[in-house]
Amino acid sequence: MDVFSRTFLPAAAEAGLAVQTVSRHMPVFRRCVGSGDATILVTRCSRPDRPVTGDYLLLLTHRRLVVTQQTRLLHRLRLHLNTELRELSNVTWSPDPRLQSVEMAATAIDGIRERFLIRTSHPKQVWQLDALLNQAFRTRLRPAGARVVASIGDAPAAARPGMFAPSW
């Protein structure tokens, strides 16, 4: 069993997703996510700006964000969003333990602002979800600092004392 399968199935079980739902969405997720990518989060979500468009399933891995949509009337699956995390900009989320939900928003590479509402069954799960999103986005998006390779006054590596210099 590959890394994706080993991490996806427990995450889906933790989210309380039915086996039928998982098996329906799995082929779509398989096409989008590599076998070596570990799952961080799988959950149902909705779109606050379009509440009647159908059910969404959000998959967050260490490298990708994939969202599938199942239409209400015919129950057809459609890929809504498939992007690498580094291609997302202005990623924000706001946990609300009173409403037991987290609203997440991100701007995709095409400039479209995507908003998703993730509901939880318990207020403590809101903070767990907040920690997972923090792990996925904030810890990976550190500002790139200047890296010092050498200073102007440094001697070349071969001239430093104690360094092995070949004598050809």
Side-chain angles (χ1 to χ4, degrees):
M1 191 183 289
D2 61 356
V3 174
F4 175 68
S5 296
R6 276 196 325 261
T7 57
F8 178 79
L9 296 175
E14 185 178 327
L17 297 173
V19 175
Q20 296 85 2
T21 303
V22 172
S23 61
R24 281 193 62 142
H25 290 262
M26 183 61 106
V28 178
F29 289 145
R30 275 266 177 222
R31 285 192 303 265
C32 299
V33 177
S35 62
D37 203 3
T39 302
I40 297 174
L41 173 69
V42 180
T43 186
R44 289 187 186 277
C45 63
S46 61
R47 306 235 0 239
D49 50 345
R50 297 180 185 167
V52 293
T53 57
D55 297 324
Y56 293 85
L57 199 63
L58 182 140
L59 168 68
L60 180 64
T61 69
H62 289 287
R63 294 186 192 119
R64 301 195 78 77
L65 175 65
V66 181
V67 180
T68 57
Q69 177 188 14
Q70 182 173 333
T71 61
R72 289 186 192 255
L73 187 59
L74 299 175
H75 301 288
R76 291 190 179 154
L77 283 181
R78 181 177 80 84
L79 183 63
H80 175 74
L81 179 66
N82 177 22
T83 186
E84 290 188 24
L85 296 184
R86 63 188 171 116
E87 293 175 346
L88 293 173
S89 62
N90 197 17
V91 179
T92 60
W93 62 92
S94 55
D96 189 350
R98 290 178 299 132
L99 296 176
Q100 298 179 8
S101 65
V102 175
E103 185 173 343
M104 182 180 126
T107 304
I109 197 166
D110 58 1
I112 296 175
R113 185 80 175 155
E114 299 284 351
R115 291 178 51 215
F116 301 102
L117 183 66
I118 304 168
R119 297 202 185 276
T120 63
S121 58
H122 195 273
K124 287 184 179 180
Q125 290 175 329
V126 170
W127 300 118
Q128 291 172 345
L129 186 58
D130 179 54
L132 289 174
L133 293 172
N134 189 40
Q135 173 192 358
F137 293 107
R138 295 237 166 91
T139 57
R140 295 190 182 283
L141 301 176
R142 294 187 182 122
R147 197 175 87 173
V148 176
V149 177
S151 296
I152 294 175
D154 284 350
R160 289 187 191 146
M163 297 293 291
F164 175 74
S167 56
W168 286 304

